[in-house]
mmCIF file of all heavy atoms in Angstrom:
data_model
loop_
_atom_site.group_PDB
_atom_site.id
_atom_site.type_symbol
_atom_site.label_atom_id
_atom_site.label_comp_id
_atom_site.label_asym_id
_atom_site.label_seq_id
_atom_site.Cartn_x
_atom_site.Cartn_y
_atom_site.Cartn_z
ATOM 1 N N LYS A 1141 11.441 -47.613 37.004
ATOM 2 C CA LYS A 1141 10.479 -46.741 37.663
ATOM 3 C C LYS A 1141 10.209 -47.207 39.082
ATOM 4 O O LYS A 1141 10.178 -48.407 39.348
ATOM 5 C CB LYS A 1141 9.158 -46.736 36.887
ATOM 6 C CG LYS A 1141 9.222 -46.096 35.514
ATOM 7 C CD LYS A 1141 7.841 -46.106 34.870
ATOM 8 C CE LYS A 1141 7.873 -45.433 33.497
ATOM 9 N NZ LYS A 1141 6.534 -45.450 32.865
ATOM 10 N N ILE A 1142 10.020 -46.248 39.956
ATOM 11 C CA ILE A 1142 9.529 -46.535 41.298
ATOM 12 C C ILE A 1142 8.102 -46.005 41.347
ATOM 13 O O ILE A 1142 7.878 -44.790 41.338
ATOM 14 C CB ILE A 1142 10.398 -45.888 42.380
ATOM 15 C CG1 ILE A 1142 11.809 -46.458 42.313
ATOM 16 C CG2 ILE A 1142 9.798 -46.121 43.763
ATOM 17 C CD1 ILE A 1142 12.769 -45.851 43.294
ATOM 18 N N ASN A 1143 7.159 -46.902 41.309
ATOM 19 C CA ASN A 1143 5.746 -46.535 41.300
ATOM 20 C C ASN A 1143 5.271 -46.411 42.745
ATOM 21 O O ASN A 1143 4.860 -47.380 43.374
ATOM 22 C CB ASN A 1143 4.933 -47.579 40.541
ATOM 23 C CG ASN A 1143 5.368 -47.698 39.096
ATOM 24 O OD1 ASN A 1143 5.571 -46.694 38.413
ATOM 25 N ND2 ASN A 1143 5.548 -48.918 38.618
ATOM 26 N N PHE A 1144 5.361 -45.197 43.261
ATOM 27 C CA PHE A 1144 5.126 -44.928 44.681
ATOM 28 C C PHE A 1144 3.743 -44.323 44.887
ATOM 29 O O PHE A 1144 3.442 -43.253 44.357
ATOM 30 C CB PHE A 1144 6.220 -43.993 45.201
ATOM 31 C CG PHE A 1144 6.049 -43.523 46.617
ATOM 32 C CD1 PHE A 1144 5.417 -44.310 47.576
ATOM 33 C CD2 PHE A 1144 6.558 -42.292 47.007
ATOM 34 C CE1 PHE A 1144 5.269 -43.867 48.890
ATOM 35 C CE2 PHE A 1144 6.426 -41.835 48.313
ATOM 36 C CZ PHE A 1144 5.773 -42.630 49.245
ATOM 37 N N VAL A 1145 2.932 -45.009 45.677
ATOM 38 C CA VAL A 1145 1.604 -44.515 46.029
ATOM 39 C C VAL A 1145 1.574 -44.240 47.533
ATOM 40 O O VAL A 1145 1.474 -45.162 48.343
ATOM 41 C CB VAL A 1145 0.501 -45.530 45.654
ATOM 42 C CG1 VAL A 1145 -0.874 -44.993 46.046
ATOM 43 C CG2 VAL A 1145 0.543 -45.841 44.154
ATOM 44 N N PRO A 1146 1.697 -42.972 47.948
ATOM 45 C CA PRO A 1146 1.632 -42.624 49.370
ATOM 46 C C PRO A 1146 0.181 -42.542 49.839
ATOM 47 O O PRO A 1146 -0.709 -42.155 49.082
ATOM 48 C CB PRO A 1146 2.294 -41.234 49.431
ATOM 49 C CG PRO A 1146 2.726 -40.914 48.032
ATOM 50 C CD PRO A 1146 1.972 -41.797 47.115
ATOM 51 N N MET A 1147 -0.012 -42.862 51.108
ATOM 52 C CA MET A 1147 -1.361 -42.837 51.669
ATOM 53 C C MET A 1147 -1.343 -42.180 53.044
ATOM 54 O O MET A 1147 -0.362 -42.275 53.774
ATOM 55 C CB MET A 1147 -1.922 -44.255 51.772
ATOM 56 C CG MET A 1147 -1.946 -45.004 50.460
ATOM 57 S SD MET A 1147 -2.644 -46.665 50.595
ATOM 58 C CE MET A 1147 -4.378 -46.269 50.707
ATOM 59 N N ARG A 1148 -2.448 -41.498 53.361
ATOM 60 C CA ARG A 1148 -2.651 -40.918 54.688
ATOM 61 C C ARG A 1148 -3.418 -41.915 55.543
ATOM 62 O O ARG A 1148 -4.488 -42.398 55.145
ATOM 63 C CB ARG A 1148 -3.462 -39.629 54.605
ATOM 64 C CG ARG A 1148 -2.925 -38.542 53.703
ATOM 65 C CD ARG A 1148 -3.866 -37.355 53.761
ATOM 66 N NE ARG A 1148 -3.479 -36.255 52.888
ATOM 67 C CZ ARG A 1148 -3.976 -36.050 51.677
ATOM 68 N NH1 ARG A 1148 -4.884 -36.893 51.183
ATOM 69 N NH2 ARG A 1148 -3.591 -35.011 50.957
ATOM 70 N N GLY A 1149 -2.897 -42.205 56.734
ATOM 71 C CA GLY A 1149 -3.567 -43.130 57.637
ATOM 72 C C GLY A 1149 -4.357 -42.409 58.714
ATOM 73 O O GLY A 1149 -4.226 -41.198 58.904
ATOM 74 N N ASP A 1150 -5.160 -43.177 59.445
ATOM 75 C CA ASP A 1150 -5.985 -42.595 60.515
ATOM 76 C C ASP A 1150 -5.346 -42.818 61.883
ATOM 77 O O ASP A 1150 -6.029 -43.004 62.876
ATOM 78 C CB ASP A 1150 -7.396 -43.170 60.476
ATOM 79 C CG ASP A 1150 -7.438 -44.656 60.770
ATOM 80 O OD1 ASP A 1150 -6.369 -45.299 60.711
ATOM 81 O OD2 ASP A 1150 -8.527 -45.171 61.069
ATOM 82 N N PHE A 1151 -4.010 -42.773 61.928
ATOM 83 C CA PHE A 1151 -3.249 -42.914 63.168
ATOM 84 C C PHE A 1151 -2.257 -41.767 63.228
ATOM 85 O O PHE A 1151 -2.040 -41.056 62.230
ATOM 86 C CB PHE A 1151 -2.533 -44.269 63.216
ATOM 87 C CG PHE A 1151 -1.739 -44.587 61.973
ATOM 88 C CD1 PHE A 1151 -0.400 -44.243 61.877
ATOM 89 C CD2 PHE A 1151 -2.339 -45.225 60.894
ATOM 90 C CE1 PHE A 1151 0.332 -44.520 60.732
ATOM 91 C CE2 PHE A 1151 -1.618 -45.513 59.737
ATOM 92 C CZ PHE A 1151 -0.283 -45.161 59.662
ATOM 93 N N ALA A 1152 -1.646 -41.558 64.386
ATOM 94 C CA ALA A 1152 -0.818 -40.368 64.577
ATOM 95 C C ALA A 1152 0.591 -40.511 64.020
ATOM 96 O O ALA A 1152 1.105 -39.596 63.382
ATOM 97 C CB ALA A 1152 -0.755 -40.012 66.064
ATOM 98 N N ARG A 1153 1.250 -41.631 64.290
ATOM 99 C CA ARG A 1153 2.655 -41.708 63.909
ATOM 100 C C ARG A 1153 3.035 -43.091 63.422
ATOM 101 O O ARG A 1153 2.481 -44.107 63.853
ATOM 102 C CB ARG A 1153 3.554 -41.271 65.057
ATOM 103 C CG ARG A 1153 3.365 -42.011 66.351
ATOM 104 C CD ARG A 1153 3.999 -41.269 67.507
ATOM 105 N NE ARG A 1153 5.446 -41.155 67.398
ATOM 106 C CZ ARG A 1153 6.187 -40.340 68.148
ATOM 107 N NH1 ARG A 1153 5.618 -39.538 69.031
ATOM 108 N NH2 ARG A 1153 7.494 -40.293 68.013
ATOM 109 N N GLY A 1154 4.011 -43.100 62.525
ATOM 110 C CA GLY A 1154 4.502 -44.337 61.948
ATOM 111 C C GLY A 1154 4.353 -44.349 60.445
ATOM 112 O O GLY A 1154 3.496 -43.659 59.880
ATOM 113 N N ILE A 1155 5.221 -45.129 59.776
ATOM 114 C CA ILE A 1155 5.121 -45.385 58.334
ATOM 115 C C ILE A 1155 5.235 -46.881 58.115
ATOM 116 O O ILE A 1155 6.134 -47.535 58.653
ATOM 117 C CB ILE A 1155 6.229 -44.666 57.548
ATOM 118 C CG1 ILE A 1155 5.968 -43.154 57.505
ATOM 119 C CG2 ILE A 1155 6.330 -45.208 56.120
ATOM 120 C CD1 ILE A 1155 7.068 -42.362 56.812
ATOM 121 N N PHE A 1156 4.306 -47.407 57.339
ATOM 122 C CA PHE A 1156 4.359 -48.811 56.908
ATOM 123 C C PHE A 1156 4.491 -48.802 55.395
ATOM 124 O O PHE A 1156 3.585 -48.389 54.681
ATOM 125 C CB PHE A 1156 3.086 -49.552 57.337
ATOM 126 C CG PHE A 1156 3.175 -51.051 57.189
ATOM 127 C CD1 PHE A 1156 3.128 -51.866 58.302
ATOM 128 C CD2 PHE A 1156 3.325 -51.651 55.944
ATOM 129 C CE1 PHE A 1156 3.216 -53.255 58.182
ATOM 130 C CE2 PHE A 1156 3.410 -53.027 55.809
ATOM 131 C CZ PHE A 1156 3.358 -53.832 56.944
ATOM 132 N N ALA A 1157 5.648 -49.246 54.911
ATOM 133 C CA ALA A 1157 5.906 -49.310 53.473
ATOM 134 C C ALA A 1157 5.943 -50.763 53.019
ATOM 135 O O ALA A 1157 6.660 -51.579 53.614
ATOM 136 C CB ALA A 1157 7.229 -48.625 53.140
ATOM 137 N N SER A 1158 5.183 -51.076 51.991
ATOM 138 C CA SER A 1158 5.245 -52.407 51.382
ATOM 139 C C SER A 1158 5.771 -52.240 49.961
ATOM 140 O O SER A 1158 5.244 -51.454 49.177
ATOM 141 C CB SER A 1158 3.879 -53.083 51.380
ATOM 142 O OG SER A 1158 2.920 -52.319 50.688
ATOM 143 N N VAL A 1159 6.851 -52.971 49.664
ATOM 144 C CA VAL A 1159 7.567 -52.820 48.408
ATOM 145 C C VAL A 1159 7.591 -54.170 47.708
ATOM 146 O O VAL A 1159 7.935 -55.182 48.326
ATOM 147 C CB VAL A 1159 9.011 -52.331 48.665
ATOM 148 C CG1 VAL A 1159 9.764 -52.175 47.358
ATOM 149 C CG2 VAL A 1159 8.997 -51.029 49.451
ATOM 150 N N CYS A 1160 7.234 -54.177 46.432
ATOM 151 C CA CYS A 1160 7.176 -55.425 45.682
ATOM 152 C C CYS A 1160 8.044 -55.334 44.437
ATOM 153 O O CYS A 1160 7.952 -54.347 43.684
ATOM 154 C CB CYS A 1160 5.727 -55.737 45.294
ATOM 155 S SG CYS A 1160 5.507 -57.357 44.531
ATOM 156 N N VAL A 1161 8.902 -56.341 44.247
ATOM 157 C CA VAL A 1161 9.780 -56.378 43.075
ATOM 158 C C VAL A 1161 9.811 -57.790 42.504
ATOM 159 O O VAL A 1161 9.602 -58.777 43.221
ATOM 160 C CB VAL A 1161 11.222 -55.952 43.427
ATOM 161 C CG1 VAL A 1161 11.258 -54.518 43.923
ATOM 162 C CG2 VAL A 1161 11.846 -56.889 44.447
ATOM 163 N N ASP A 1162 10.086 -57.895 41.211
ATOM 164 C CA ASP A 1162 10.368 -59.196 40.611
ATOM 165 C C ASP A 1162 11.743 -59.649 41.081
ATOM 166 O O ASP A 1162 12.697 -58.855 41.095
ATOM 167 C CB ASP A 1162 10.350 -59.104 39.081
ATOM 168 C CG ASP A 1162 8.956 -58.859 38.528
ATOM 169 O OD1 ASP A 1162 7.983 -59.329 39.146
ATOM 170 O OD2 ASP A 1162 8.850 -58.191 37.480
ATOM 171 N N SER A 1163 11.837 -60.920 41.458
ATOM 172 C CA SER A 1163 13.126 -61.424 41.948
ATOM 173 C C SER A 1163 13.227 -62.928 41.733
ATOM 174 O O SER A 1163 12.280 -63.671 42.001
ATOM 175 C CB SER A 1163 13.285 -61.119 43.445
ATOM 176 O OG SER A 1163 14.479 -61.679 43.950
ATOM 177 N N ALA A 1164 14.399 -63.344 41.265
ATOM 178 C CA ALA A 1164 14.653 -64.771 41.069
ATOM 179 C C ALA A 1164 15.253 -65.411 42.318
ATOM 180 O O ALA A 1164 15.396 -66.639 42.377
ATOM 181 C CB ALA A 1164 15.601 -64.969 39.886
ATOM 182 N N MET A 1165 15.582 -64.617 43.320
ATOM 183 C CA MET A 1165 16.159 -65.166 44.545
ATOM 184 C C MET A 1165 15.140 -65.991 45.314
ATOM 185 O O MET A 1165 13.936 -65.717 45.285
ATOM 186 C CB MET A 1165 16.640 -64.034 45.462
ATOM 187 C CG MET A 1165 17.906 -63.360 45.062
ATOM 188 S SD MET A 1165 18.470 -62.225 46.383
ATOM 189 C CE MET A 1165 17.153 -61.017 46.371
ATOM 190 N N SER A 1166 15.633 -66.970 46.060
ATOM 191 C CA SER A 1166 14.784 -67.658 47.023
ATOM 192 C C SER A 1166 14.629 -66.766 48.244
ATOM 193 O O SER A 1166 15.386 -65.805 48.429
ATOM 194 C CB SER A 1166 15.420 -68.987 47.431
ATOM 195 O OG SER A 1166 16.611 -68.760 48.178
ATOM 196 N N LEU A 1167 13.664 -67.074 49.092
ATOM 197 C CA LEU A 1167 13.486 -66.299 50.316
ATOM 198 C C LEU A 1167 14.750 -66.374 51.175
ATOM 199 O O LEU A 1167 15.180 -65.358 51.745
ATOM 200 C CB LEU A 1167 12.278 -66.819 51.108
ATOM 201 C CG LEU A 1167 12.019 -66.136 52.453
ATOM 202 C CD1 LEU A 1167 11.783 -64.636 52.271
ATOM 203 C CD2 LEU A 1167 10.832 -66.784 53.167
ATOM 204 N N GLU A 1168 15.345 -67.549 51.248
ATOM 205 C CA GLU A 1168 16.540 -67.718 52.065
ATOM 206 C C GLU A 1168 17.685 -66.838 51.551
ATOM 207 O O GLU A 1168 18.423 -66.227 52.335
ATOM 208 C CB GLU A 1168 16.976 -69.184 52.072
ATOM 209 C CG GLU A 1168 16.034 -70.127 52.802
ATOM 210 C CD GLU A 1168 14.753 -70.425 52.034
ATOM 211 O OE1 GLU A 1168 14.720 -70.203 50.794
ATOM 212 O OE2 GLU A 1168 13.773 -70.865 52.668
ATOM 213 N N GLU A 1169 17.827 -66.752 50.237
ATOM 214 C CA GLU A 1169 18.872 -65.911 49.657
ATOM 215 C C GLU A 1169 18.604 -64.433 49.947
ATOM 216 O O GLU A 1169 19.528 -63.670 50.235
ATOM 217 C CB GLU A 1169 18.949 -66.150 48.151
ATOM 218 C CG GLU A 1169 19.516 -67.512 47.774
ATOM 219 C CD GLU A 1169 19.380 -67.817 46.297
ATOM 220 O OE1 GLU A 1169 18.419 -67.318 45.656
ATOM 221 O OE2 GLU A 1169 20.229 -68.568 45.768
ATOM 222 N N ALA A 1170 17.335 -64.040 49.850
ATOM 223 C CA ALA A 1170 16.975 -62.644 50.110
ATOM 224 C C ALA A 1170 17.245 -62.273 51.567
ATOM 225 O O ALA A 1170 17.796 -61.201 51.856
ATOM 226 C CB ALA A 1170 15.508 -62.402 49.754
ATOM 227 N N VAL A 1171 16.859 -63.147 52.478
ATOM 228 C CA VAL A 1171 17.083 -62.886 53.898
ATOM 229 C C VAL A 1171 18.578 -62.758 54.182
ATOM 230 O O VAL A 1171 19.019 -61.857 54.912
ATOM 231 C CB VAL A 1171 16.450 -63.984 54.766
ATOM 232 C CG1 VAL A 1171 16.906 -63.873 56.220
ATOM 233 C CG2 VAL A 1171 14.919 -63.914 54.693
ATOM 234 N N GLU A 1172 19.377 -63.642 53.598
ATOM 235 C CA GLU A 1172 20.828 -63.577 53.798
ATOM 236 C C GLU A 1172 21.393 -62.273 53.254
ATOM 237 O O GLU A 1172 22.250 -61.638 53.893
ATOM 238 C CB GLU A 1172 21.511 -64.761 53.106
ATOM 239 C CG GLU A 1172 23.022 -64.794 53.315
ATOM 240 C CD GLU A 1172 23.692 -65.982 52.647
ATOM 241 O OE1 GLU A 1172 23.025 -66.664 51.835
ATOM 242 O OE2 GLU A 1172 24.881 -66.218 52.921
ATOM 243 N N LEU A 1173 20.915 -61.840 52.079
ATOM 244 C CA LEU A 1173 21.373 -60.588 51.487
ATOM 245 C C LEU A 1173 21.087 -59.415 52.411
ATOM 246 O O LEU A 1173 21.969 -58.572 52.668
ATOM 247 C CB LEU A 1173 20.671 -60.380 50.137
ATOM 248 C CG LEU A 1173 20.941 -59.039 49.442
ATOM 249 C CD1 LEU A 1173 22.378 -58.985 48.936
ATOM 250 C CD2 LEU A 1173 19.958 -58.818 48.284
ATOM 251 N N TYR A 1174 19.870 -59.344 52.927
ATOM 252 C CA TYR A 1174 19.472 -58.230 53.779
ATOM 253 C C TYR A 1174 20.209 -58.263 55.117
ATOM 254 O O TYR A 1174 20.643 -57.222 55.625
ATOM 255 C CB TYR A 1174 17.953 -58.232 53.978
ATOM 256 C CG TYR A 1174 17.225 -57.505 52.876
ATOM 257 C CD1 TYR A 1174 17.162 -58.031 51.587
ATOM 258 C CD2 TYR A 1174 16.611 -56.281 53.102
ATOM 259 C CE1 TYR A 1174 16.512 -57.364 50.568
ATOM 260 C CE2 TYR A 1174 15.949 -55.598 52.093
ATOM 261 C CZ TYR A 1174 15.902 -56.145 50.823
ATOM 262 O OH TYR A 1174 15.261 -55.471 49.809
ATOM 263 N N ARG A 1175 20.337 -59.430 55.696
ATOM 264 C CA ARG A 1175 21.021 -59.514 56.991
ATOM 265 C C ARG A 1175 22.500 -59.170 56.867
ATOM 266 O O ARG A 1175 23.070 -58.526 57.757
ATOM 267 C CB ARG A 1175 20.815 -60.895 57.604
ATOM 268 C CG ARG A 1175 19.389 -61.070 58.111
ATOM 269 C CD ARG A 1175 19.258 -62.179 59.115
ATOM 270 N NE ARG A 1175 17.955 -62.090 59.758
ATOM 271 C CZ ARG A 1175 17.162 -63.115 60.032
ATOM 272 N NH1 ARG A 1175 17.547 -64.333 59.724
ATOM 273 N NH2 ARG A 1175 16.004 -62.933 60.636
ATOM 274 N N ASN A 1176 23.113 -59.556 55.784
ATOM 275 C CA ASN A 1176 24.522 -59.208 55.579
ATOM 276 C C ASN A 1176 24.673 -57.701 55.390
ATOM 277 O O ASN A 1176 25.604 -57.096 55.938
ATOM 278 C CB ASN A 1176 25.084 -59.948 54.362
ATOM 279 C CG ASN A 1176 25.325 -61.422 54.632
ATOM 280 O OD1 ASN A 1176 25.397 -61.842 55.789
ATOM 281 N ND2 ASN A 1176 25.429 -62.218 53.586
ATOM 282 N N TYR A 1177 23.760 -57.097 54.628
ATOM 283 C CA TYR A 1177 23.866 -55.654 54.374
ATOM 284 C C TYR A 1177 23.702 -54.866 55.667
ATOM 285 O O TYR A 1177 24.411 -53.882 55.893
ATOM 286 C CB TYR A 1177 22.814 -55.219 53.350
ATOM 287 C CG TYR A 1177 22.976 -53.768 52.935
ATOM 288 C CD1 TYR A 1177 23.781 -53.417 51.862
ATOM 289 C CD2 TYR A 1177 22.336 -52.751 53.632
ATOM 290 C CE1 TYR A 1177 23.962 -52.090 51.497
ATOM 291 C CE2 TYR A 1177 22.506 -51.413 53.278
ATOM 292 C CZ TYR A 1177 23.319 -51.091 52.210
ATOM 293 O OH TYR A 1177 23.489 -49.764 51.860
ATOM 294 N N TYR A 1178 22.776 -55.285 56.516
ATOM 295 C CA TYR A 1178 22.479 -54.534 57.737
ATOM 296 C C TYR A 1178 23.184 -55.100 58.968
ATOM 297 O O TYR A 1178 22.854 -54.725 60.093
ATOM 298 C CB TYR A 1178 20.968 -54.486 57.966
ATOM 299 C CG TYR A 1178 20.263 -53.605 56.956
ATOM 300 C CD1 TYR A 1178 19.265 -54.115 56.136
ATOM 301 C CD2 TYR A 1178 20.616 -52.272 56.813
ATOM 302 C CE1 TYR A 1178 18.638 -53.308 55.190
ATOM 303 C CE2 TYR A 1178 19.988 -51.454 55.879
ATOM 304 C CZ TYR A 1178 19.005 -51.978 55.068
ATOM 305 O OH TYR A 1178 18.392 -51.175 54.136
ATOM 306 N N ALA A 1179 24.191 -55.937 58.763
ATOM 307 C CA ALA A 1179 24.878 -56.566 59.897
ATOM 308 C C ALA A 1179 25.487 -55.534 60.837
ATOM 309 O O ALA A 1179 25.517 -55.729 62.054
ATOM 310 C CB ALA A 1179 25.954 -57.523 59.384
ATOM 311 N N GLY A 1180 25.972 -54.422 60.290
ATOM 312 C CA GLY A 1180 26.596 -53.405 61.134
ATOM 313 C C GLY A 1180 25.706 -52.230 61.447
ATOM 314 O O GLY A 1180 26.164 -51.251 62.064
ATOM 315 N N ALA A 1181 24.449 -52.298 61.049
ATOM 316 C CA ALA A 1181 23.530 -51.173 61.271
ATOM 317 C C ALA A 1181 23.079 -51.126 62.724
ATOM 318 O O ALA A 1181 22.766 -52.153 63.322
ATOM 319 C CB ALA A 1181 22.322 -51.290 60.355
ATOM 320 N N ALA A 1182 23.029 -49.920 63.269
ATOM 321 C CA ALA A 1182 22.687 -49.767 64.685
ATOM 322 C C ALA A 1182 21.202 -49.930 64.953
ATOM 323 O O ALA A 1182 20.812 -50.338 66.054
ATOM 324 C CB ALA A 1182 23.154 -48.398 65.180
ATOM 325 N N PHE A 1183 20.363 -49.614 63.959
ATOM 326 C CA PHE A 1183 18.927 -49.560 64.240
ATOM 327 C C PHE A 1183 18.051 -50.308 63.227
ATOM 328 O O PHE A 1183 16.830 -50.309 63.377
ATOM 329 C CB PHE A 1183 18.459 -48.102 64.299
ATOM 330 C CG PHE A 1183 18.988 -47.348 65.486
ATOM 331 C CD1 PHE A 1183 20.038 -46.451 65.349
ATOM 332 C CD2 PHE A 1183 18.447 -47.532 66.748
ATOM 333 C CE1 PHE A 1183 20.531 -45.747 66.443
ATOM 334 C CE2 PHE A 1183 18.925 -46.843 67.847
ATOM 335 C CZ PHE A 1183 19.969 -45.953 67.692
ATOM 336 N N THR A 1184 18.629 -50.901 62.206
ATOM 337 C CA THR A 1184 17.834 -51.577 61.181
ATOM 338 C C THR A 1184 17.951 -53.082 61.348
ATOM 339 O O THR A 1184 19.059 -53.622 61.397
ATOM 340 C CB THR A 1184 18.279 -51.148 59.774
ATOM 341 O OG1 THR A 1184 18.113 -49.729 59.651
ATOM 342 C CG2 THR A 1184 17.429 -51.821 58.709
ATOM 343 N N TYR A 1185 16.804 -53.729 61.417
ATOM 344 C CA TYR A 1185 16.750 -55.154 61.738
ATOM 345 C C TYR A 1185 15.874 -55.889 60.722
ATOM 346 O O TYR A 1185 14.885 -55.347 60.237
ATOM 347 C CB TYR A 1185 16.161 -55.370 63.136
ATOM 348 C CG TYR A 1185 16.881 -54.607 64.223
ATOM 349 C CD1 TYR A 1185 16.450 -53.346 64.615
ATOM 350 C CD2 TYR A 1185 18.007 -55.139 64.845
ATOM 351 C CE1 TYR A 1185 17.112 -52.631 65.607
ATOM 352 C CE2 TYR A 1185 18.677 -54.433 65.832
ATOM 353 C CZ TYR A 1185 18.227 -53.186 66.208
ATOM 354 O OH TYR A 1185 18.892 -52.478 67.182
ATOM 355 N N VAL A 1186 16.255 -57.130 60.439
ATOM 356 C CA VAL A 1186 15.462 -58.004 59.576
ATOM 357 C C VAL A 1186 14.749 -59.007 60.464
ATOM 358 O O VAL A 1186 15.388 -59.751 61.221
ATOM 359 C CB VAL A 1186 16.346 -58.723 58.537
ATOM 360 C CG1 VAL A 1186 15.491 -59.628 57.654
ATOM 361 C CG2 VAL A 1186 17.103 -57.705 57.686
ATOM 362 N N SER A 1187 13.421 -59.014 60.383
ATOM 363 C CA SER A 1187 12.604 -59.862 61.246
ATOM 364 C C SER A 1187 12.260 -61.183 60.563
ATOM 365 O O SER A 1187 12.079 -61.241 59.346
ATOM 366 C CB SER A 1187 11.308 -59.120 61.600
ATOM 367 O OG SER A 1187 10.415 -59.961 62.302
#
């Protein structure tokens, strides 16, 4: 299931999504996974 709760904000533009999942990965492993996936993406960045 994706338990999605959308909210209306008091600002004009933008979306802030916070997503939480159970994961056995370390933070370092997760960062590496995301950076590898988006390595060729023109506009998606991992901060």
Side-chain angles (χ1 to χ4, degrees):
K1141 293 182 179 180
I1142 298 178
N1143 299 315
F1144 175 31
V1145 179
M1147 303 181 76
R1148 304 180 182 97
D1150 65 344
F1151 50 92
R1153 56 196 296 167
I1155 288 177
F1156 192 115
S1158 58
V1159 180
C1160 187
V1161 298
D1162 291 328
S1163 176
M1165 285 189 295
S1166 68
L1167 177 59
E1168 292 74 19
E1169 289 171 331
V1171 169
E1172 182 179 12
L1173 174 70
Y1174 274 70
R1175 287 200 168 138
N1176 286 342
Y1177 186 90
Y1178 290 122
F1183 291 103
T1184 300
Y1185 305 93
V1186 180
S1187 173

